[in-house]
Amino acid sequence: MKMVSASKYNRAERELKPAKAYGLGASAFYNRAEITQDETKPNHLLVAMSSDRGLCGGIHSSICKAIKADVAEKPADVDVKIACIGDKSRLILQRVFSDKMLFHVSNIGKKPSTFGDAANIANAIVESGFEFDVGKLYYNRFKSVVSFQTTTVPVFTVDAISNSDKISIYDDVDSEVLQNYCEFSLVNLVYFTLKEGACSELSARMTAMEAASKNAGEMIDKLTLKYNRTRQAVITRELIEIISGAAAL
Amino acid sequence: MSLLRTLSRLPRSLNYFRPIAGVQTVRRYAEEALAPSQMSFTFATPSEVYYNEADVKQVDVPSTTGDFGILAQHVPVLSVLRPGCVVVYDNDGNTEKYFVSSGTITVNDDSSVQLLAEEATPIDQIDRQAAETGLSKAQQDLQSSTTDLAKAEAQISLELHEALLKALEK
Protein backbone atom coordinates (compact mmCIF):
# COMPACT_ATOMS: atom_id res chain seq x y z
CA MET A 1 0.00 0.00 0.00
CA LYS A 2 2.78 2.37 0.86
CA MET A 3 4.72 1.63 -2.33
CA VAL A 4 1.82 2.56 -4.58
CA SER A 5 1.09 5.80 -2.79
CA ALA A 6 4.82 6.61 -2.62
CA SER A 7 5.17 6.41 -6.40
CA LYS A 8 2.06 8.54 -6.92
CA TYR A 9 3.36 11.03 -4.38
CA ASN A 10 6.71 11.33 -6.17
CA ARG A 11 4.96 12.15 -9.40
CA ALA A 12 2.72 14.70 -7.71
CA GLU A 13 5.67 16.40 -6.06
CA ARG A 14 7.48 16.63 -9.40
CA GLU A 15 4.43 18.21 -11.03
CA LEU A 16 4.00 20.60 -8.14
CA LYS A 17 7.31 22.40 -8.74
CA PRO A 18 6.34 24.17 -11.99
CA ALA A 19 2.78 24.59 -10.75
CA LYS A 20 4.07 26.41 -7.67
CA ALA A 21 6.11 28.85 -9.73
CA TYR A 22 3.12 29.30 -12.02
CA GLY A 23 0.76 29.96 -9.09
CA LEU A 24 3.15 32.43 -7.48
CA GLY A 25 3.50 34.24 -10.79
CA ALA A 26 -0.27 34.38 -11.06
CA SER A 27 -0.70 35.94 -7.63
CA ALA A 28 2.24 38.34 -8.02
CA PHE A 29 0.06 40.94 -9.71
CA TYR A 30 -2.49 40.90 -6.90
CA ASN A 31 0.25 41.29 -4.32
CA ARG A 32 2.02 44.10 -6.13
CA ALA A 33 -1.14 46.00 -6.89
CA GLU A 34 -2.32 45.46 -3.31
CA ILE A 35 -5.81 44.40 -4.30
CA THR A 36 -8.02 43.67 -1.32
CA GLN A 37 -11.39 42.08 -0.81
CA ASP A 38 -14.15 43.95 0.94
CA GLU A 39 -15.50 41.36 3.36
CA THR A 40 -18.62 43.39 4.12
CA LYS A 41 -20.03 42.91 0.65
CA PRO A 42 -23.07 40.62 0.53
CA ASN A 43 -22.21 37.69 -1.73
CA HIS A 44 -19.52 35.25 -0.67
CA LEU A 45 -18.41 32.13 -2.46
CA LEU A 46 -16.37 29.49 -0.64
CA VAL A 47 -14.85 26.71 -2.71
CA ALA A 48 -13.55 23.54 -1.04
CA MET A 49 -10.72 22.03 -3.06
CA SER A 50 -10.70 18.40 -1.94
CA SER A 51 -11.06 15.12 -3.80
CA ASP A 52 -13.06 11.91 -4.10
CA ARG A 53 -10.78 9.48 -2.32
CA GLY A 54 -10.35 8.92 1.38
CA LEU A 55 -7.84 7.06 3.56
CA CYS A 56 -5.69 10.17 3.73
CA GLY A 57 -5.84 11.26 7.33
CA GLY A 58 -7.35 14.64 8.13
CA ILE A 59 -7.14 16.19 4.66
CA HIS A 60 -10.82 16.59 3.83
CA SER A 61 -12.03 17.16 7.36
CA SER A 62 -9.58 20.02 7.97
CA ILE A 63 -10.84 21.88 4.90
CA CYS A 64 -14.44 21.39 5.98
CA LYS A 65 -13.63 22.47 9.53
CA ALA A 66 -12.07 25.67 8.24
CA ILE A 67 -15.12 26.38 6.08
CA LYS A 68 -17.51 25.70 8.95
CA ALA A 69 -15.57 28.03 11.23
CA ASP A 70 -15.54 30.80 8.62
CA VAL A 71 -19.23 30.49 7.84
CA ALA A 72 -20.06 30.75 11.54
CA GLU A 73 -18.12 34.03 11.73
CA LYS A 74 -19.86 35.73 8.85
CA PRO A 75 -22.43 38.46 9.58
CA ALA A 76 -26.08 37.62 9.11
CA ASP A 77 -26.78 39.64 5.98
CA VAL A 78 -24.11 37.89 3.96
CA ASP A 79 -25.26 35.35 1.38
CA VAL A 80 -22.80 32.48 1.50
CA LYS A 81 -22.65 29.81 -1.15
CA ILE A 82 -20.37 26.78 -1.13
CA ALA A 83 -18.97 24.86 -4.08
CA CYS A 84 -17.41 21.45 -3.47
CA ILE A 85 -14.67 20.11 -5.69
CA GLY A 86 -14.53 16.42 -4.83
CA ASP A 87 -17.06 14.11 -3.23
CA LYS A 88 -15.49 13.88 0.21
CA SER A 89 -16.03 17.52 1.09
CA ARG A 90 -19.51 17.37 -0.37
CA LEU A 91 -20.45 14.48 1.93
CA ILE A 92 -19.24 16.37 4.99
CA LEU A 93 -20.59 19.80 4.12
CA GLN A 94 -23.94 18.70 2.77
CA ARG A 95 -25.01 17.58 6.21
CA VAL A 96 -24.58 21.04 7.66
CA PHE A 97 -24.96 23.42 4.72
CA SER A 98 -27.39 21.71 2.36
CA ASP A 99 -29.10 25.03 1.62
CA LYS A 100 -25.86 26.75 0.69
CA MET A 101 -24.52 24.27 -1.84
CA LEU A 102 -24.03 25.88 -5.22
CA PHE A 103 -22.59 23.02 -7.26
CA HIS A 104 -20.17 20.15 -6.84
CA VAL A 105 -17.54 18.53 -9.02
CA SER A 106 -16.69 14.82 -9.01
CA ASN A 107 -13.97 12.61 -10.52
CA ILE A 108 -11.19 14.53 -8.87
CA GLY A 109 -8.23 12.71 -7.41
CA LYS A 110 -8.26 9.43 -9.30
CA LYS A 111 -5.89 10.78 -11.93
CA PRO A 112 -3.54 13.78 -11.70
CA SER A 113 -5.38 17.01 -12.49
CA THR A 114 -4.68 18.81 -15.73
CA PHE A 115 -4.98 22.43 -16.70
CA GLY A 116 -8.07 21.43 -18.68
CA ASP A 117 -9.73 20.18 -15.49
CA ALA A 118 -8.95 23.48 -13.81
CA ALA A 119 -10.41 25.32 -16.80
CA ASN A 120 -13.62 23.30 -16.56
CA ILE A 121 -13.93 24.00 -12.84
CA ALA A 122 -13.30 27.71 -13.34
CA ASN A 123 -15.90 27.67 -16.10
CA ALA A 124 -18.40 26.08 -13.73
CA ILE A 125 -17.70 28.78 -11.13
CA VAL A 126 -18.18 31.56 -13.65
CA GLU A 127 -21.29 30.03 -15.22
CA SER A 128 -22.91 29.05 -11.94
CA GLY A 129 -24.88 32.27 -12.09
CA PHE A 130 -23.82 33.35 -8.61
CA GLU A 131 -22.36 36.87 -8.82
CA PHE A 132 -20.00 36.75 -5.90
CA ASP A 133 -18.21 39.80 -4.47
CA VAL A 134 -15.83 37.89 -2.26
CA GLY A 135 -14.43 34.53 -3.30
CA LYS A 136 -12.11 32.15 -1.47
CA LEU A 137 -10.54 28.83 -2.41
CA TYR A 138 -9.83 26.54 0.56
CA TYR A 139 -6.99 24.12 -0.07
CA ASN A 140 -4.22 22.24 1.74
CA ARG A 141 -0.87 23.86 1.17
CA PHE A 142 1.93 21.34 0.92
CA LYS A 143 4.60 22.13 3.51
CA SER A 144 6.51 18.87 3.70
CA VAL A 145 6.01 15.12 3.47
CA VAL A 146 4.67 14.99 7.00
CA SER A 147 2.82 18.28 7.23
CA PHE A 148 0.32 20.38 5.33
CA GLN A 149 -1.59 23.51 6.19
CA THR A 150 -5.17 24.40 5.31
CA THR A 151 -5.12 27.88 3.82
CA THR A 152 -7.24 30.09 1.63
CA VAL A 153 -6.44 31.98 -1.48
CA PRO A 154 -8.68 34.90 -2.47
CA VAL A 155 -10.43 35.11 -5.81
CA PHE A 156 -10.67 38.74 -6.83
CA THR A 157 -13.53 39.92 -9.00
CA VAL A 158 -13.25 42.42 -11.83
CA ASP A 159 -14.89 45.02 -9.56
CA ALA A 160 -12.39 44.49 -6.76
CA ILE A 161 -9.53 45.03 -9.20
CA SER A 162 -10.95 48.09 -10.93
CA ASN A 163 -11.81 49.71 -7.61
CA SER A 164 -8.34 49.33 -6.15
CA ASP A 165 -6.03 52.32 -5.86
CA LYS A 166 -3.03 51.06 -7.72
CA ILE A 167 -4.83 49.87 -10.83
CA SER A 168 -4.51 53.33 -12.40
CA ILE A 169 -0.75 52.94 -12.80
CA TYR A 170 -1.36 50.07 -15.19
CA ASP A 171 -1.42 51.28 -18.74
CA ASP A 172 -4.04 50.47 -21.33
CA VAL A 173 -6.36 48.30 -19.26
CA ASP A 174 -9.92 48.16 -20.52
CA SER A 175 -12.79 46.14 -19.17
CA GLU A 176 -12.52 43.33 -21.71
CA VAL A 177 -8.81 42.81 -21.01
CA LEU A 178 -9.56 42.85 -17.28
CA GLN A 179 -12.35 40.31 -17.67
CA ASN A 180 -10.10 37.95 -19.65
CA TYR A 181 -7.29 38.49 -17.19
CA CYS A 182 -9.56 37.71 -14.25
CA GLU A 183 -10.89 34.53 -15.81
CA PHE A 184 -7.43 33.28 -16.72
CA SER A 185 -6.24 34.11 -13.20
CA LEU A 186 -9.09 32.08 -11.77
CA VAL A 187 -8.06 29.06 -13.83
CA ASN A 188 -4.46 29.51 -12.68
CA LEU A 189 -5.49 29.67 -9.04
CA VAL A 190 -7.75 26.62 -9.36
CA TYR A 191 -4.94 24.67 -11.04
CA PHE A 192 -2.43 25.71 -8.39
CA THR A 193 -4.73 24.75 -5.51
CA LEU A 194 -5.60 21.44 -7.17
CA LYS A 195 -1.93 20.54 -7.53
CA GLU A 196 -1.02 21.58 -3.99
CA GLY A 197 -4.02 19.77 -2.60
CA ALA A 198 -3.15 16.62 -4.54
CA CYS A 199 0.42 16.66 -3.26
CA SER A 200 -0.71 17.17 0.36
CA GLU A 201 -3.29 14.42 0.00
CA LEU A 202 -0.84 11.93 -1.45
CA SER A 203 1.76 12.60 1.22
CA ALA A 204 -0.90 12.25 3.93
CA ARG A 205 -2.10 9.03 2.35
CA MET A 206 1.46 7.72 2.27
CA THR A 207 1.86 8.48 5.97
CA ALA A 208 -1.52 6.93 6.76
CA MET A 209 -0.74 3.81 4.74
CA GLU A 210 2.64 3.47 6.42
CA ALA A 211 1.03 3.72 9.84
CA ALA A 212 -1.65 1.22 8.80
CA SER A 213 0.98 -1.21 7.51
CA LYS A 214 2.98 -0.87 10.72
CA ASN A 215 -0.11 -1.40 12.89
CA ALA A 216 -1.17 -4.40 10.84
CA GLY A 217 2.35 -5.84 11.18
CA GLU A 218 2.30 -5.39 14.96
CA MET A 219 -1.14 -6.95 15.18
CA ILE A 220 0.03 -9.94 13.15
CA ASP A 221 3.02 -10.43 15.46
CA LYS A 222 0.90 -10.22 18.61
CA LEU A 223 -1.71 -12.62 17.23
CA THR A 224 0.99 -15.07 16.11
CA LEU A 225 2.36 -15.20 19.63
CA LYS A 226 -1.14 -15.68 21.03
CA TYR A 227 -1.81 -18.45 18.52
CA ASN A 228 1.38 -20.28 19.41
CA ARG A 229 0.71 -19.98 23.12
CA THR A 230 -2.85 -21.28 22.69
CA ARG A 231 -1.68 -24.15 20.52
CA GLN A 232 0.95 -25.17 23.05
CA ALA A 233 -1.58 -24.91 25.89
CA VAL A 234 -4.00 -27.23 24.07
CA ILE A 235 -1.25 -29.77 23.37
CA THR A 236 -0.12 -29.62 27.00
CA ARG A 237 -3.70 -30.17 28.21
CA GLU A 238 -4.11 -33.21 25.95
CA LEU A 239 -0.81 -34.62 27.13
CA ILE A 240 -1.85 -34.16 30.76
CA GLU A 241 -5.13 -35.91 30.09
CA ILE A 242 -3.38 -38.81 28.38
CA ILE A 243 -0.76 -39.10 31.09
CA SER A 244 -3.26 -38.89 33.93
CA GLY A 245 -5.47 -41.40 32.12
CA ALA A 246 -2.47 -43.70 31.71
CA ALA A 247 -1.45 -43.18 35.31
CA ALA A 248 -4.92 -44.12 36.49
CA LEU A 249 -4.72 -47.49 34.86
CA MET B 1 46.34 69.67 15.95
CA SER B 2 44.57 70.14 19.24
CA LEU B 3 41.60 68.24 17.84
CA LEU B 4 43.74 65.21 17.11
CA ARG B 5 45.08 65.28 20.65
CA THR B 6 41.58 65.40 22.13
CA LEU B 7 40.52 62.53 19.87
CA SER B 8 43.43 60.39 21.03
CA ARG B 9 42.41 61.02 24.61
CA LEU B 10 38.87 59.71 24.02
CA PRO B 11 38.07 56.54 25.97
CA ARG B 12 38.23 53.25 24.11
CA SER B 13 34.50 52.76 24.21
CA LEU B 14 33.99 55.60 21.76
CA ASN B 15 36.11 53.87 19.11
CA TYR B 16 33.14 52.74 17.13
CA PHE B 17 32.33 56.31 16.29
CA ARG B 18 35.54 56.62 14.33
CA PRO B 19 34.84 56.13 10.62
CA ILE B 20 36.20 52.88 9.18
CA ALA B 21 39.11 53.63 6.89
CA GLY B 22 38.35 53.34 3.18
CA VAL B 23 34.58 53.04 3.40
CA GLN B 24 32.34 55.90 2.45
CA THR B 25 29.16 56.06 4.48
CA VAL B 26 26.28 56.69 2.12
CA ARG B 27 22.81 57.62 3.23
CA ARG B 28 20.13 55.50 1.56
CA TYR B 29 16.37 55.29 1.66
CA ALA B 30 14.86 51.91 2.25
CA GLU B 31 14.82 50.58 -1.27
CA GLU B 32 13.10 47.86 -3.24
CA ALA B 33 14.83 44.51 -3.39
CA LEU B 34 15.08 45.00 -7.17
CA ALA B 35 17.29 47.68 -8.62
CA PRO B 36 15.21 49.44 -11.27
CA SER B 37 17.62 48.57 -14.07
CA GLN B 38 16.88 44.87 -13.67
CA MET B 39 13.84 42.97 -14.77
CA SER B 40 12.60 39.97 -12.83
CA PHE B 41 11.17 37.79 -15.58
CA THR B 42 8.97 34.80 -14.87
CA PHE B 43 7.80 32.79 -17.88
CA ALA B 44 5.80 29.72 -16.96
CA THR B 45 3.18 27.31 -18.20
CA PRO B 46 1.21 24.99 -15.92
CA SER B 47 3.57 22.15 -16.74
CA GLU B 48 6.91 23.86 -17.09
CA VAL B 49 8.80 26.90 -15.92
CA TYR B 50 11.11 28.46 -18.52
CA TYR B 51 12.31 31.49 -16.57
CA ASN B 52 11.79 32.04 -12.87
CA GLU B 53 12.59 35.58 -11.73
CA ALA B 54 15.41 35.69 -14.22
CA ASP B 55 17.28 38.80 -15.20
CA VAL B 56 16.87 39.38 -18.93
CA LYS B 57 17.28 42.41 -21.11
CA GLN B 58 14.15 42.43 -23.23
CA VAL B 59 11.06 40.38 -23.96
CA ASP B 60 8.86 40.74 -27.04
CA VAL B 61 5.29 39.59 -26.52
CA PRO B 62 2.32 39.20 -28.88
CA SER B 63 -0.75 40.57 -27.18
CA THR B 64 -4.33 41.12 -28.31
CA THR B 65 -3.73 44.87 -28.40
CA GLY B 66 -0.54 44.54 -30.45
CA ASP B 67 3.02 43.29 -30.18
CA PHE B 68 5.29 45.15 -27.80
CA GLY B 69 8.72 44.76 -26.30
CA ILE B 70 9.34 45.04 -22.59
CA LEU B 71 12.57 46.32 -21.07
CA ALA B 72 13.27 47.13 -17.45
CA GLN B 73 11.29 50.01 -16.03
CA HIS B 74 8.50 49.50 -18.52
CA VAL B 75 5.20 51.11 -17.61
CA PRO B 76 2.99 48.68 -15.62
CA VAL B 77 0.74 46.81 -17.98
CA LEU B 78 -1.86 44.05 -17.90
CA SER B 79 -2.53 42.29 -21.13
CA VAL B 80 -3.83 39.12 -22.68
CA LEU B 81 -1.69 37.14 -25.13
CA ARG B 82 -2.72 35.99 -28.58
CA PRO B 83 -1.11 33.01 -30.34
CA GLY B 84 2.33 34.11 -31.42
CA CYS B 85 6.02 34.24 -30.87
CA VAL B 86 7.69 35.38 -27.65
CA VAL B 87 11.33 36.42 -28.04
CA VAL B 88 13.53 36.68 -24.96
CA TYR B 89 16.78 38.65 -25.24
CA ASP B 90 19.07 37.90 -22.33
CA ASN B 91 21.94 40.01 -21.05
CA ASP B 92 24.58 38.22 -23.14
CA GLY B 93 22.80 39.05 -26.39
CA ASN B 94 21.39 35.56 -27.00
CA THR B 95 17.77 35.22 -28.07
CA GLU B 96 15.33 32.44 -27.35
CA LYS B 97 12.09 32.10 -29.24
CA TYR B 98 9.00 30.42 -27.88
CA PHE B 99 5.55 29.96 -29.30
CA VAL B 100 2.68 30.67 -26.90
CA SER B 101 -0.95 29.77 -27.43
CA SER B 102 -2.58 32.20 -25.03
CA GLY B 103 -2.18 33.59 -21.55
CA THR B 104 -1.54 36.82 -19.72
CA ILE B 105 1.34 39.23 -19.32
CA THR B 106 1.76 41.43 -16.27
CA VAL B 107 4.36 44.16 -15.83
CA ASN B 108 4.39 45.50 -12.29
CA ASP B 109 5.77 48.74 -10.95
CA ASP B 110 8.91 47.06 -9.60
CA SER B 111 9.94 45.88 -13.07
CA SER B 112 8.79 42.34 -12.39
CA VAL B 113 7.26 40.68 -15.42
CA GLN B 114 5.08 37.58 -15.28
CA LEU B 115 4.32 35.88 -18.55
CA LEU B 116 1.86 33.09 -17.82
CA ALA B 117 1.09 31.04 -20.89
CA GLU B 118 -1.44 28.32 -21.21
CA GLU B 119 0.81 26.35 -23.55
CA ALA B 120 4.27 27.28 -24.72
CA THR B 121 6.96 25.51 -26.65
CA PRO B 122 10.37 26.43 -28.04
CA ILE B 123 10.07 27.24 -31.76
CA ASP B 124 12.44 24.49 -32.83
CA GLN B 125 10.16 21.84 -31.37
CA ILE B 126 7.18 22.69 -33.58
CA ASP B 127 6.30 20.11 -36.22
CA ARG B 128 5.50 21.93 -39.49
CA GLN B 129 3.52 18.99 -40.86
CA ALA B 130 1.26 18.83 -37.80
CA ALA B 131 0.72 22.59 -37.97
CA GLU B 132 -0.33 22.40 -41.63
CA THR B 133 -2.74 19.53 -41.09
CA GLY B 134 -4.17 21.38 -38.11
CA LEU B 135 -4.67 24.47 -40.27
CA SER B 136 -6.60 22.65 -42.98
CA LYS B 137 -8.73 20.88 -40.38
CA ALA B 138 -9.54 24.20 -38.73
CA GLN B 139 -10.56 25.68 -42.09
CA GLN B 140 -12.84 22.72 -42.73
CA ASP B 141 -14.36 23.00 -39.26
CA LEU B 142 -15.04 26.67 -39.76
CA GLN B 143 -16.94 26.05 -42.97
CA SER B 144 -18.94 23.13 -41.66
CA SER B 145 -19.78 24.51 -38.23
CA THR B 146 -23.36 25.44 -37.47
CA THR B 147 -23.55 26.76 -33.90
CA ASP B 148 -21.87 29.95 -32.71
CA LEU B 149 -19.80 28.04 -30.22
CA ALA B 150 -18.46 25.64 -32.85
CA LYS B 151 -17.72 28.59 -35.16
CA ALA B 152 -15.83 30.39 -32.39
CA GLU B 153 -13.80 27.29 -31.55
CA ALA B 154 -12.92 26.75 -35.21
CA GLN B 155 -11.94 30.41 -35.53
CA ILE B 156 -9.63 30.11 -32.51
CA SER B 157 -8.07 26.96 -33.94
CA LEU B 158 -7.56 28.72 -37.29
CA GLU B 159 -5.83 31.71 -35.67
CA LEU B 160 -3.61 29.41 -33.67
CA HIS B 161 -2.43 27.37 -36.64
CA GLU B 162 -1.88 30.45 -38.81
CA ALA B 163 0.25 31.94 -36.06
CA LEU B 164 2.15 28.65 -35.72
CA LEU B 165 3.04 28.62 -39.41
CA LYS B 166 3.93 32.31 -39.36
CA ALA B 167 6.25 31.73 -36.40
CA LEU B 168 7.98 28.94 -38.33
CA GLU B 169 8.57 31.27 -41.30
CA LYS B 170 10.68 33.68 -39.27
Side-chain angles (χ1 to χ4, degrees):
Chain A
M1 291 188 289
K2 191 193 166 200
M3 293 298 137
V4 171
S5 49
S7 64
K8 284 194 187 167
Y9 163 70
N10 285 334
R11 183 183 167 173
E13 202 194 355
R14 265 203 320 268
E15 288 182 1
L16 180 62
K17 279 205 194 69
K20 223 184 188 109
Y22 191 70
L24 285 175
S27 41
F29 160 65
Y30 298 110
N31 291 338
R32 265 330 284 183
E34 290 162 17
I35 312 234
T36 53
Q37 275 181 331
D38 188 0
E39 298 269 336
T40 57
K41 290 244 173 91
N43 296 319
H44 291 213
L45 175 67
L46 311 179
V47 185
M49 313 292 303
S50 68
S51 81
D52 290 352
R53 311 180 78 203
L55 294 178
C56 45
I59 291 274
H60 307 298
S61 52
S62 73
I63 291 187
C64 297
K65 229 191 295 181
I67 291 187
K68 279 185 206 164
D70 279 355
V71 170
E73 275 178 0
K74 297 223 188 267
D77 56 350
V78 158
D79 182 22
V80 176
K81 286 270 187 276
I82 300 180
C84 288
I85 315 295
D87 281 334
K88 284 287 167 189
S89 56
R90 177 172 67 95
L91 290 171
I92 301 177
L93 291 173
Q94 203 160 35
R95 244 176 272 142
V96 190
F97 297 129
S98 52
D99 56 332
K100 296 191 175 26
M101 303 293 288
L102 188 60
F103 66 90
H104 74 269
V105 176
S106 310
N107 265 341
I108 304 275
K110 294 194 180 66
K111 291 214 198 93
S113 319
T114 62
F115 196 69
D117 296 335
N120 288 336
I121 293 175
N123 214 20
I125 293 179
V126 165
E127 291 187 353
S128 65
F130 181 57
E131 300 282 338
F132 58 94
D133 304 308
V134 174
K136 277 206 177 71
L137 304 180
Y138 287 77
Y139 72 107
N140 289 314
R141 189 169 65 89
F142 176 71
K143 275 165 69 181
S144 78
V145 181
V146 294
S147 78
F148 62 88
Q149 189 172 25
T150 309
T151 41
T152 65
V153 82
V155 174
F156 296 107
T157 54
V158 179
D159 287 334
I161 301 180
S162 27
N163 289 339
S164 86
D165 299 327
K166 271 179 112 172
I167 191 65
S168 49
I169 64 169
Y170 285 85
D171 186 35
D172 194 24
V173 173
D174 62 20
S175 60
E176 195 183 317
V177 164
L178 207 49
Q179 176 83 11
N180 286 336
Y181 191 86
C182 251
E183 288 177 1
F184 192 68
S185 269
L186 179 60
V187 184
N188 292 344
L189 286 177
V190 169
Y191 179 75
F192 170 65
T193 52
L194 276 176
K195 282 292 175 196
E196 288 255 350
C199 208
S200 308
E201 182 186 325
L202 287 169
S203 73
R205 187 168 295 134
M206 211 170 63
T207 320
M209 289 294 106
E210 191 182 349
S213 302
K214 196 158 65 96
N215 289 342
E218 278 176 7
M219 206 183 294
I220 288 175
D221 289 339
K222 257 193 264 175
L223 287 175
T224 310
L225 284 175
K226 195 167 179 185
Y227 168 73
N228 282 333
R229 251 183 270 131
T230 317
R231 186 176 54 86
Q232 287 161 359
V234 168
I235 292 174
T236 311
R237 199 179 327 124
E238 288 186 10
L239 278 173
I240 290 174
E241 285 174 13
I242 294 170
I243 292 170
S244 48
L249 287 170
Chain B
M1 280 300 271
S2 59
L3 183 61
L4 276 177
R5 223 176 294 145
T6 35
L7 272 180
S8 61
R9 285 209 196 113
L10 285 172
R12 284 276 165 208
S13 57
L14 288 178
N15 272 356
Y16 53 80
F17 284 132
R18 232 186 283 160
I20 306 167
V23 172
Q24 291 237 352
T25 48
V26 176
R27 299 206 64 177
R28 276 202 179 95
Y29 295 109
E31 53 186 33
E32 307 277 341
L34 215 49
S37 60
Q38 283 175 316
M39 187 201 306
S40 158
F41 178 53
T42 303
F43 175 19
T45 62
S47 49
E48 210 174 322
V49 175
Y50 292 102
Y51 293 87
N52 195 1
E53 297 189 0
D55 178 21
V56 299
K57 198 163 71 91
Q58 181 181 336
V59 185
D60 292 341
V61 294
S63 85
T64 49
T65 48
D67 296 359
F68 55 96
I70 302 173
L71 289 111
Q73 292 180 296
H74 193 279
V75 156
V77 145
L78 282 185
S79 193
V80 170
L81 301 174
R82 62 158 214 276
C85 206
V86 166
V87 189
V88 180
Y89 303 86
D90 67 14
N91 286 326
D92 308 321
N94 303 326
T95 58
E96 294 281 343
K97 292 204 182 135
Y98 301 90
F99 184 81
V100 294
S101 69
S102 63
T104 56
I105 173 93
T106 310
V107 181
N108 295 317
D109 55 359
D110 61 351
S111 284
S112 62
V113 179
Q114 287 92 28
L115 181 64
L116 301 171
E118 189 167 342
E119 293 278 353
T121 170
I123 291 276
D124 49 14
Q125 286 180 12
I126 297 178
D127 176 8
R128 170 174 282 275
Q129 203 56 31
E132 283 173 5
T133 17
L135 179 67
S136 47
K137 182 171 179 299
Q139 279 163 342
Q140 277 172 349
D141 285 341
L142 186 59
Q143 279 168 359
S144 63
S145 57
T146 46
T147 63
D148 278 341
L149 184 62
K151 257 203 184 58
E153 286 181 0
Q155 187 71 32
I156 293 173
S157 184
L158 189 65
E159 268 177 37
L160 177 73
H161 287 99
E162 279 176 352
L164 261 174
L165 287 170
K166 200 160 105 164
L168 285 172
E169 308 288 326
K170 283 196 222 159

